[in-house]
């Protein structure tokens, strides 16, 4: 059973920063990869970044590389997404997700947290 709860969304100004958190309840953390996604109004869901819970290895989408940073705190069972230099185009609902390390599909999702960036 995997449970994911996001927090940290809200309103930010263009050029500002926000940090999202995903508190995870997973039986065997080392068997999972954690990811962050977003869905903007009228757009498809977009992959942003992922991190291996065991190795800490990360992958980023080109659209956020250099602005967003994914990290994990194993002691707190929490994954973070640090977002810098935000633009109105970053406005979306942000989701935390988990997939088994041997699977390509993320089949565990949080409820999402809204991020709104004003110009």
């Amino acid at each position: 059973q995997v449970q994911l709860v996001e927090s940290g969304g809200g309103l930010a100004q263009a050029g500002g920063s926000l940090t999202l958190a995903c508190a995870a309840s997973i039986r065997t953390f080392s068997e999972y990869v954690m990811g962050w996604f977003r869905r903007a109004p009228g757009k498809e869901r977009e992959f942003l970044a992922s991190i291996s819970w065991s190795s800490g290895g990360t992958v980023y989408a080109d659209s956020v590389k250099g602005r967003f940073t994914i990290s994990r705190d194993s002691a707190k069972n929490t994954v973070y997404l640090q977002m810098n230099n935000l633009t109105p185009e970053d406005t979306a609902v942000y989701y935390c997700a988990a997939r088994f390390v041997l699977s390509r599909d993320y089949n565990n999702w949080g409820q999402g947290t809204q991020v709104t960036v004003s110009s």
Side-chain angles (χ1 to χ4, degrees):
Q1 188 78 12
V2 176
Q3 293 184 328
L4 306 171
V5 179
E6 301 98 333
S7 62
L11 181 64
Q13 290 190 336
S17 300
L18 278 176
T19 298
L20 306 182
C22 173
S25 175
I26 300 176
R27 183 171 183 176
T28 310
F29 283 90
S30 62
E31 296 180 342
Y32 284 83
V33 173
M34 306 298 294
W36 282 99
F37 294 76
R38 68 185 178 190
R39 187 189 296 273
K43 295 186 178 181
E44 294 185 354
R45 186 174 62 202
E46 177 187 12
F47 167 81
L48 301 175
S50 67
I51 186 166
S52 166
W53 206 284
S54 59
S55 70
T58 58
V59 176
Y60 291 93
D62 289 342
S63 60
V64 302
K65 197 173 295 183
R67 291 195 304 129
F68 290 8
T69 302
I70 189 171
S71 63
R72 74 194 188 312
D73 185 331
S74 298
K76 296 182 178 180
N77 296 339
T78 300
V79 175
Y80 300 95
L81 186 68
Q82 171 72 40
M83 305 185 294
N84 297 324
N85 195 21
L86 289 165
T87 74
E89 287 68 37
D90 293 314
T91 295
V93 178
Y94 284 70
Y95 297 91
C96 174
R99 64 171 175 86
F100 185 63
V101 67
L102 298 179
S103 172
R104 297 175 59 182
D105 299 324
Y106 288 85
N107 52 18
N108 300 281
W109 295 86
Q111 82 286 355
T113 185
Q114 176 71 45
V115 171
T116 302
V117 183
S118 61
S119 58

